[in-house]
Each structure stands twice: as structure tokens, then as C-alpha cells.
Amino acid sequence: MKRILVRAGFNPADDISVCDVVSKNLIRGNSGNMIFANSVMRALMVDDDVEIGVDYCRMSNLDAEWINEKYDCYVIPLADIFRLNGNVELERLTRLVKALKIPCIIVGAGVRAETYELMKTKREFDPYVKKLCDAVLEKSAIIGIRGELTGEYLTRFGYKEGKEFTVIGCPSMYTFGELKPFEKPVINSDSRISVNNSILSSPSTIEFLNGVLSDYKNSFFLPQRYEEMKAFYLGIDYIHRFDNKPEYPHKVNEGVYAENRVKMFASPNDWIDFLKTVDLSVGSRLHGNVTSIIAGTPSLFIPHGVRMRELIDYHKLPTVSGEEVAKTKNLEELIEKADFKSLFDVHHKNFEHYKEFLKTNGLETVFDRTYDGDVPYDKLLKKLDNKEIPSIVTLDKEATIERWAEYNQSKTDFKNQYLNRYVEEFRALNRTSFSSDIKDLILRILDKLKGIDRSNLERRGLNTHNEDFYKL
């Protein structure tokens, strides 16, 4: 039997409860993380003799001996991990990779930047990125990255395209191999439309997408942030720091939430199945729209940053700019402006390159075999119950109390488990990097004690290395 460890928040093929997904933040901050990890796991489970394990994105070098004994390789799907506030995660992953004796393969890493110009200057996270890439290249043939922007960034460290790295795009796009074809959508007032949005979108884009939800009564809002999932699940408001964006849907007792027109899922296959039932997906979320495309439903992307742009450019995804949205504000006119054909012109070539990348790294996939019926991973998923998350607005008082009790118990158990683990890491620290290690580890322990996600604090503009953090 071949055993493959995959970096992921959880394995969708395991029977994990909706409550555990929410209370333990198994989506790792964004439900889009389920989609690209799911794609990799589906591809690698070629038969019943392949076991897929996941690291829950929490394993460290303390687990290296156990991983070396149990697994044959470590596959690391990554999103935009090359970023500010990613240093702790990058360093922790580097330590683990260095301690492993098995192949370690990065699939789909990207850089996060507000502008292209920022990539021309030194960044705080540069040393951490180079250490991780160096460690991985000692244990794999080549690194797979998201797009040309990330490629330009890595060339600054002396890495060469085609030798140390290659552009593969987003693994999510290859979930089912070749894409199911679709035409430019024709919509009307009765069309079923899936709307995704981000608090990082411009006010004009938020206004436009709110208008779509208002004008098309068969439309649904599909948020993706963990804080939104928790709000949806528990009936609390989604709190964000953008005072200039009060119109972003965030109150559970108002608008589309109160109308029960919000959908969230605790598994990628149920998300995909829902998007098979709509006529169009539109919005500013990358994976919200990619998930629609792999479901065979047209999507219209409204990008809000260069990290999305490099993937849109590579996959030739149907796109309209924020400026066009601000000028037009009419969905049907925007659909006419977008190119829904080019992605099919490039997908086959991109897919073949992706398969070659995996093969170069010694990975066999379901795309290398022929199956009579479903692939092994899909068979496992079919055995599981639907994991669409019921909105709290659909529950009566007794069911609401029961949900809160279950959530709190699961959250408490989870905190105790990982606080003990952090203490173990504290004791195992290397004295040569004692000062920085202590600082980062203590911060993480404090986060868990207080029930706070440090990365979310940083997104809200609070410097967790400042003394003000300790006053929370």
C-alpha cells in the first residue's frame, strides 16, 4: 500500500461533522482551501491501495519521525502562502520538510501582493520563502506555482523556470481533468445565480453584487470567509474592519441571510453539486467561481488583486474589471463583454502540463488510468451524508440551543488538545533560534487561550508583535 500525506485542513472523504468543520476552523480561514486540496487528493487516490492522510495544517517537525515511518511522500498544496503574516507558517513548514526523509512536493504556491510594483522590492517574507523552497527542492524535482507573477518573484532568488519551478495554475481547475463545456450564459429575471463576494472588493463591486442579489430573486449568496461561516452557523454578525463598506452582507437577521438565501458547505463535493444547479456564478472570489467552472457552470470573475489576476491570466478565465462594473452595473451587459471561450482554448494544454509536473515528481494520478465507473475518491464521497450547512435562521429555539452547546463543547476539546501540543513544541525549541521561536510560539499559545485567530487580527490591522496585543 502507498501512503500519501497531504497538507490540508481535513480530508473530505472522512466522515467529519459539520460542527467540527466550523468549531475547529478546518477550512483554514476560507472555504476555498477545501477546493484545491480536494482536487489533489482526488487525483492521487488511484486505487484502494493508496491511503491519503492529511496533516490538518498543524503538524510540525515533532511529527517527522512518525511521518517518515508511516508515509511515502508529503504533497503540499498551497495557495498564496508567500505573503506578509505568513512567516510563522512558512518557517514551521520548512522545519518539518527539513526533518522529513520522504519526497516533499509543493503544488500551486503563489505570492500575495497588492501591486506588481511590490514584487520588485525586498519583502519581509523573502528569507522564509527561500528557506522553504530550498528545503523542498532537496526532496522534489520541481516546484509547481500559481502563475507568472509568482515566477517573476522566485527568479529574484536565482530559481529558474523549467528547472526549479514551473507554472501550473490552480490545481482546482484540474479536479475532474478536462472541463465540461459551456457557452456564454443567457440569463433572465428567473435565472438561478450564485453570487460570491469579498470584503476586500471595492465599494462599487459590493454595490453591484448586492444589486444582483436584489434583482434576481432566485439568486444566492455564497460567502467564503471562516468568520462568515461562523456567523452563518451561530447567528452572530460578521465583524470586519472596513467602515467604508457597511453594505457588505454581514447581519444574520437582515437581507439575504434573513431570507435564507445564503449557502455554505462543509465539504467541496456538496458545494460543487449545488453549483451544478445554477445558471451562472458571479463575484470576486477566485474559488467561488472556479468551483462553478469545474461543476460545468459558467462563471464571471471580478478580480480585486494581482494574486487573482495571475491565475485569471493563466487559465484565461471569464473576467470583467472593477472599473467596468462601476461603469455598467448591468449583469447582462457585463456577460456580453466577457470572453467565455478562451479558457477552453488553453485548458487542455494546461492540464497536460499539470499531469507532466506531477509525473516529474514521481506522482501517479487517476488521469494516468482508465476506470470503469467512478474513481476511488468519488466512491468514498458518495457514501457520506450531505454537508450543506443549515442556516441558523431555519432552526427553532431548541435546535439553536443544541447547536451552540455542541459547538462550545467541540471548541473546548479542540483548544485543550492543541494547547498541550504547543507546550510540546515549546519544550522542543532549538536554542539557536530561541528568541524568535519563543516570541512566535507564545503568541500562538495566547491566541488559542483567548480563542483568537492571529492571522485574522493581522488582517484587521492589529500588530500582534505590539504590546497592545497582550491587553486583549
Side-chain angles (χ1 to χ4, degrees):
M1 174 173 281
K2 185 169 185 177
R3 295 181 173 88
I4 301 172
L5 181 65
V6 177
R7 186 180 186 276
F10 69 105
N11 187 344
D14 293 338
D15 196 9
I16 296 174
S17 71
V18 169
C19 182
D20 278 344
V21 172
V22 181
S23 64
K24 299 175 182 178
N25 188 11
L26 298 185
I27 63 170
R28 298 296 293 164
N30 189 315
S31 55
N33 293 329
M34 295 191 299
I35 299 299
F36 64 81
N38 177 74
S39 173
V40 171
M41 286 184 265
R42 183 184 187 276
L44 297 180
M45 187 178 283
V46 296
D47 56 40
D48 295 337
D49 287 330
V50 175
E51 177 186 315
I52 302 292
V54 298
D55 66 354
Y56 298 97
C57 296
R58 293 183 175 92
M59 290 185 181
S60 73
N61 54 307
L62 295 179
D63 301 291
E65 183 176 353
W66 174 77
I67 294 172
N68 284 328
E69 291 177 358
K70 181 174 175 62
Y71 291 101
D72 301 298
C73 68
Y74 183 32
V75 179
I76 313 170
L78 296 172
D80 52 346
I81 193 172
F82 303 158
R83 63 178 187 266
L84 292 172
N85 85 5
N87 295 355
V88 173
E89 190 174 6
L90 286 166
E91 187 169 19
R92 193 168 189 239
L93 186 55
T94 300
R95 287 178 185 155
L96 175 57
V97 169
K98 285 184 174 181
L100 293 178
K101 299 177 182 178
I102 57 177
C104 300
I105 301 121
I106 284 181
V107 184
V111 64
R112 180 186 296 182
E114 293 75 23
T115 65
Y116 284 103
E117 287 70 27
L118 278 174
M119 290 301 95
K120 300 176 182 178
T121 61
K122 290 184 178 180
R123 308 302 303 277
E124 176 188 322
F125 51 85
D126 289 356
Y128 298 91
V129 171
K130 189 174 188 309
K131 287 177 183 177
L132 175 61
C133 291
D134 285 347
V136 168
L137 286 169
E138 290 180 4
K139 296 183 168 89
S140 66
I142 194 167
I143 291 172
I145 62 171
R146 276 181 151 193
E148 294 299 334
L149 172 65
T150 302
E152 291 176 19
Y153 172 69
L154 290 182
T155 57
R156 289 174 37 202
F157 304 120
Y159 301 128
K160 295 181 180 179
E161 184 168 7
K163 184 177 180 182
E164 282 86 17
F165 71 85
T166 187
V167 177
I168 60 172
C170 181
S172 309
M173 287 290 292
Y174 315 116
T175 301
F176 303 112
E178 299 291 354
L179 295 175
K180 183 179 178 181
F182 54 73
E183 302 292 334
K184 184 187 291 284
V186 177
I187 62 171
N188 56 50
S189 59
D190 295 323
S191 296
R192 284 171 60 87
I193 298 176
S194 172
V195 176
N196 54 80
N197 203 348
S198 168
I199 193 61
L200 298 178
S201 298
S202 67
S204 59
T205 296
I206 292 173
E207 179 186 359
F208 167 72
L209 293 171
N210 284 345
V212 173
L213 289 168
S214 176
D215 295 341
Y216 297 86
K217 297 304 180 182
N218 289 326
S219 60
F220 300 88
F221 179 46
L222 275 66
Q224 288 182 214
R225 290 291 313 151
Y226 171 66
E227 294 91 341
E228 294 174 283
M229 177 179 279
K230 191 163 66 171
F232 178 76
Y233 188 73
L234 297 176
I236 57 179
D237 290 346
Y238 166 45
I239 299 174
H240 57 80
R241 66 180 174 90
F242 294 91
D243 295 335
N244 65 328
K245 300 176 182 179
E247 302 306 317
Y248 185 90
H250 67 284
K251 289 186 175 294
V252 178
N253 61 346
E254 295 180 3
V256 286
Y257 280 96
E259 295 166 4
N260 195 25
R261 286 201 290 140
V262 177
K263 298 284 186 179
M264 296 200 81
F265 303 88
S267 76
N269 54 308
D270 294 313
W271 188 0
I272 293 168
D273 285 344
F274 171 76
L275 289 173
K276 290 177 181 178
T277 71
V278 304
D279 302 304
L280 172 71
S281 172
V282 58
S284 55
R285 283 288 183 187
L286 176 72
H287 285 103
N289 291 316
V290 165
T291 305
S292 181
I293 285 176
I294 62 177
T297 299
S299 289
L300 184 61
F301 293 73
I302 309 172
H304 57 77
V306 294
R307 61 191 173 113
M308 284 182 66
R309 175 57 64 180
E310 69 171 345
L311 283 168
I312 286 171
D313 289 347
Y314 183 74
H315 293 291
K316 306 299 181 188
L317 301 171
T319 307
V320 291
S321 68
E323 291 76 14
E324 289 175 300
V325 168
K327 290 178 182 178
T328 306
K329 295 184 180 179
N330 182 287
L331 179 56
E332 294 181 46
E333 289 183 25
L334 290 170
I335 289 172
E336 284 303 312
K337 290 176 180 288
D339 178 0
F340 287 84
K341 181 178 179 296
S342 292
L343 79 160
F344 297 106
D345 294 337
V346 301
H347 182 76
H348 178 73
K349 180 181 177 181
N350 291 346
F351 178 45
E352 291 297 319
H353 180 63
Y354 178 65
K355 290 192 294 183
E356 186 61 30
F357 158 77
L358 296 174
K359 185 177 180 180
T360 300
N361 278 301
L363 296 173
E364 183 184 9
T365 71
V366 293
F367 309 120
D368 303 316
R369 298 190 181 189
T370 301
Y371 295 87
D372 183 14
D374 293 326
V375 302
Y377 188 77
D378 292 347
K379 290 179 181 178
L380 292 178
L381 293 180
K382 283 187 175 180
K383 296 178 182 179
L384 303 179
D385 293 334
N386 180 283
K387 287 187 173 57
E388 178 179 343
I389 304 174
S391 169
I392 199 163
V393 303
T394 66
L395 304 183
D396 59 23
K397 182 178 179 180
E398 184 177 339
T400 299
I401 293 172
E402 183 179 343
R403 174 176 286 190
W404 268 91
E406 183 184 11
Y407 173 87
N408 286 329
Q409 185 60 56
S410 178
K411 192 78 172 176
T412 299
D413 294 344
F414 182 66
K415 283 182 183 179
N416 291 338
Q417 176 186 353
Y418 281 96
L419 278 172
N420 291 335
R421 176 52 180 272
Y422 290 148
V423 170
E424 290 179 25
E425 290 190 35
F426 181 87
R427 290 172 177 163
L429 287 174
N430 187 329
R431 293 276 177 176
T432 60
S433 57
F434 197 73
S435 178
S436 62
D437 287 341
I438 291 292
K439 176 179 62 179
D440 288 324
L441 190 59
I442 288 177
L443 285 171
R444 282 165 47 211
I445 291 174
L446 286 173
D447 294 349
K448 292 297 177 180
L449 282 169
K450 296 173 181 290
I452 296 169
D453 185 329
R454 179 180 170 204
S455 64
N456 289 334
L457 284 173
E458 289 172 331
R459 288 190 190 95
R460 296 177 190 178
L462 178 59
N463 183 353
T464 53
H465 292 279
N466 188 288
E467 289 184 0
D468 289 340
F469 174 78
Y470 297 93
K471 297 176 184 177
L472 291 174

